[in-house]
Amino acid sequence: MSKTVRVICLVFSIALALFCFAGCKQEEETASKPTVSISDMKPTDQIQNTSDNDLPDVDLKGVTLKVACDRDFDSCLFPDPEQDELSKRRNDWIEQCKKDYNFDLEYVHYTWNEMTKTLMPDLLTGDYVADFVLPAIRQTGPFIQAGLCANLNDSDIAQYLDFSKPWWDQTMLQASTINGKTYACTPQFTSSANTTWVCFFNYKVLEDIGYTPDYLYDLQDKGTWTWEEFHKLCKLAVLDTNDDGKLERGVDRFGFVAAGWHISQCLMTVSGAEYIVTDPTTGNLKYNLDNSHGITAIQKMNEIFTDRGVFHAGLAPVMQTLFSSDQALFMTYQVQACQSEYLRNMESDFGMLLMPKYSADTEYISRAEQTTLCCFIPATCQYRTETAFALQALSYSAWKVGVPDIMELNYTQYVRDDKSQFCIDEVFNHTTFTIDQLLYDVGSGENTWYKIIDVNLSKPTLNVSNMDVSNAVKTIAPLCQNLLDEFYNQTTENTDG
């Protein structure tokens, strides 16, 4: 397939992917089967047939909306057009959108991973700070709990912020809805699918163990690309190069590499084992791992993580170094890693797959990393209606114009084979958010959600063979449920009172 044809296919096919934006979760204590599936609709249908954002012809009269964000981390609304072609194109459609509706955006700096320390005190004063905020999802929960986020379903906001449109992620809306009120969203300009995890594979290592790329792509096509297959191939790839009985970074070869915390959270979502569900009768949040499916899923993860040499933990530079130097068969990481300097310069070819399914009778699904940006409107927003209108207009433009640009400039030129195209297209179908991501920083000290899960569940799963999963799950149940009750009660009191 020529590169020109590949570009056209990628640009067109993303339309359908974004329309689906699926990943809906079942809210049952024993929920397990994700409902996302691969569509057989023509890939050009949605983006070509959607020519309008359905907003009325409104003049916002030059209003300037303040945006609290960190453009050094992600310049999604304040790009430097001199930086590269993608930034120029992004700047062009943002400027056109502002011109069409006569509004402007003012950058208000808050460091992305310190907003609970810096932005929250400013909002708690009750002063007008910003009209909307772009935090990492993992820092959003405390703002919701403190009653600092407007309900996006309020009539003055909802009249323009239409979440039924295909450029809004439904799993994010579901995750941030507490007692019928929705507090956060992911406008398309945050490009959340960029941070969704996929599975990269190294051609050379795969061929060294006697398999071809077509073998993996066929598994994916048939729906049999599962944890079992993944584990089998990982074990075959493990190599003690110098036969010294040790497996060392930089010397030996591993099955797969990933960041420890993130991979355990991603695989939990892939398995359908949800940390939290909503009680259908009371609306309260319930800790949901203490059931047969949750325990079985964690046991399977434990078998993979603790199998000698199969898994090697490391943050981005470490994992990408090992993978690109043929010291790992797989790397599970954000889809946008295909653009990284490590993968661009690696001598061996690489391919891209969706995350392996939990089992053959489930569906492909994946998880957006909790560093992904989301959006909320502060309760002290000065221009609520104008903000809702602008967010809808910007999100549509990002979908209609920005996404094809991203696909062309951020992905097409970096993939090494035509069949990786399927993963890049389809990952947008499987971008999934869960409520536990919002609760990352809820709590205090050692009793934050993150610390409880990390110390009592994630770390043992990564390090202890034959761990007592059932006991670990039960041990943290009271701590987790107390946090959930506190979060739910404070959220509803602060917004209903």
Side-chain angles (χ1 to χ4, degrees):
M1 182 183 293
S2 71
K3 185 161 184 175
T4 300
V5 173
R6 286 169 57 199
V7 171
I8 293 172
C9 289
L10 278 169
V11 170
F12 283 166
S13 59
I14 191 55
L16 168 63
L18 286 171
F19 172 70
C20 295
F21 246 68
C24 297
K25 300 287 188 296
Q26 298 175 13
E27 295 184 349
E28 303 172 2
E29 289 192 9
T30 57
S32 61
K33 292 187 179 181
T35 57
V36 185
S37 61
I38 295 171
S39 173
D40 59 0
M41 293 177 62
K42 292 181 180 180
T44 59
D45 287 351
Q46 285 302 310
I47 200 164
Q48 288 190 322
N49 294 334
T50 306
S51 58
D52 195 276
N53 57 23
D54 292 332
L55 286 170
D57 186 12
V58 170
D59 182 346
L60 295 182
K61 300 180 180 179
V63 65
T64 296
L65 305 175
K66 294 184 178 182
V67 186
C69 62
D70 185 351
R71 64 182 171 193
D72 293 331
F73 173 69
D74 192 321
S75 56
C76 56
L77 286 180
F78 300 96
D80 177 3
E82 302 298 323
Q83 181 175 334
D84 52 38
E85 178 62 22
L86 181 60
S87 296
K88 179 185 180 301
R89 293 192 194 182
R90 180 181 287 263
N91 185 72
D92 288 345
W93 63 254
I94 291 172
E95 290 301 316
Q96 186 61 52
C97 187
K98 293 193 296 185
K99 180 180 178 181
D100 288 344
Y101 298 106
N102 191 18
F103 71 95
D104 204 357
L105 300 173
E106 178 184 339
Y107 171 60
V108 183
H109 173 73
Y110 284 92
T111 303
W112 74 277
N113 62 344
E114 296 180 359
M115 286 192 178
T116 54
K117 297 178 182 178
T118 57
L119 176 60
M120 182 172 285
D122 291 348
L123 291 179
L124 285 170
T125 65
D127 293 338
Y128 167 50
V129 177
D131 294 290
F132 62 96
V133 181
L134 302 178
I137 184 175
R138 72 186 190 190
Q139 292 217 316
T140 306
F143 290 93
I144 296 174
Q145 185 173 12
L148 298 173
C149 304
N151 175 19
L152 302 181
N153 296 329
D154 283 346
S155 58
D156 58 340
I157 296 175
Q159 64 177 315
Y160 294 129
L161 210 53
D162 183 355
F163 291 136
S164 69
K165 299 301 183 183
W167 47 88
W168 294 102
D169 186 292
Q170 298 303 311
T171 65
M172 181 65 228
L173 300 171
Q174 179 181 340
S176 70
T177 297
I178 311 297
N179 198 31
K181 297 183 178 181
T182 302
Y183 297 103
C185 59
T186 46
Q188 184 51 47
F189 54 75
T190 63
S191 302
S192 57
N194 286 347
T195 58
T196 295
W197 276 43
V198 297
C199 186
F200 295 86
F201 68 90
N202 183 302
Y203 267 47
K204 182 180 185 303
V205 178
L206 183 67
E207 290 165 0
D208 282 350
I209 63 173
Y211 289 85
T212 66
D214 282 342
Y215 175 79
L216 291 179
Y217 288 128
D218 286 345
L219 288 176
Q220 179 174 255
D221 292 344
K222 295 174 183 176
T224 54
W225 170 230
T226 63
W227 285 15
E228 183 178 1
E229 281 285 347
F230 175 77
H231 191 188
K232 176 189 78 175
L233 295 172
C234 282
K235 288 192 290 185
L236 292 173
V238 175
L239 180 63
D240 184 355
T241 306
N242 54 10
D243 287 325
D244 65 353
K246 302 176 182 178
L247 291 173
E248 300 176 271
R249 180 192 304 172
V251 178
D252 301 309
R253 194 171 69 193
F254 302 89
F256 81 107
V257 288
W261 163 266
H262 293 293
I263 183 58
S264 63
Q265 307 310 296
C266 181
L267 289 182
M268 287 292 285
T269 297
V270 169
S271 75
E274 300 179 85
Y275 287 99
I276 305 163
V277 294
T278 300
D279 188 314
T281 57
T282 65
N284 292 339
L285 302 177
K286 295 174 60 178
Y287 174 72
N288 187 55
L289 290 185
D290 195 6
N291 56 69
S292 60
H293 177 67
I295 291 169
T296 301
I298 298 171
Q299 285 175 331
K300 288 184 177 181
M301 287 168 53
N302 186 49
E303 291 171 8
I304 295 172
F305 288 141
T306 59
D307 199 345
R308 181 177 181 270
V310 164
F311 171 67
H312 187 80
L315 297 179
V318 169
M319 71 170 92
Q320 292 183 87
T321 296
L322 291 175
F323 178 77
S324 61
S325 59
D326 307 330
Q327 292 177 284
L329 172 58
F330 295 114
M331 177 178 73
T332 53
Y333 195 38
Q334 302 173 12
V335 64
Q336 64 184 353
C338 69
Q339 311 159 27
S340 73
E341 182 180 353
Y342 297 94
L343 270 66
R344 291 201 315 268
N345 296 331
M346 67 184 285
E347 293 184 10
S348 304
D349 284 331
F350 66 85
M352 299 172 67
L353 298 161
L354 297 173
M355 288 298 294
K357 295 162 59 173
Y358 178 65
S359 61
D361 61 349
T362 59
E363 301 291 346
Y364 292 115
I365 194 169
S366 196
R367 175 179 170 113
E369 197 173 286
Q370 47 261 40
T371 56
T372 307
L373 296 184
C374 64
C375 175
F376 70 83
I377 298 176
T380 54
C381 166
Q382 185 165 310
Y383 301 104
R384 286 164 58 102
T385 300
E386 293 88 345
T387 296
F389 191 103
L391 285 174
Q392 185 76 358
L394 288 164
S395 194
Y396 168 77
S397 294
W399 178 71
K400 181 69 174 179
V401 182
V403 167
D405 287 346
I406 289 172
M407 296 304 295
E408 176 187 345
L409 297 173
N410 269 10
Y411 294 123
T412 306
Q413 61 182 317
Y414 296 119
V415 297
R416 299 288 185 92
D417 63 33
D418 291 338
K419 291 187 178 181
S420 290
Q421 173 187 324
F422 177 82
C423 174
I424 289 175
D425 293 348
E426 278 294 320
V427 72
F428 286 81
N429 282 345
H430 308 288
T431 298
T432 303
F433 295 93
T434 57
I435 189 171
D436 60 278
Q437 292 173 305
L438 290 162
L439 302 187
Y440 188 97
D441 281 340
V442 165
S444 61
E446 293 302 308
N447 284 326
T448 59
W449 180 269
Y450 162 73
K451 285 289 186 181
I452 292 172
I453 298 296
D454 187 43
V455 172
N456 296 286
L457 201 58
S458 295
K459 285 182 178 177
T461 302
L462 298 177
N463 294 297
V464 180
S465 298
N466 302 314
M467 69 175 286
D468 185 350
V469 173
S470 179
N471 184 63
V473 166
K474 291 179 184 298
T475 297
I476 65 173
L479 294 171
C480 289
Q481 190 59 54
N482 286 340
L483 275 185
L484 293 177
D485 291 340
E486 183 177 289
F487 174 79
Y488 180 84
N489 291 335
Q490 291 185 8
T491 296
T492 53
E493 287 172 6
N494 285 327
T495 56
D496 295 340

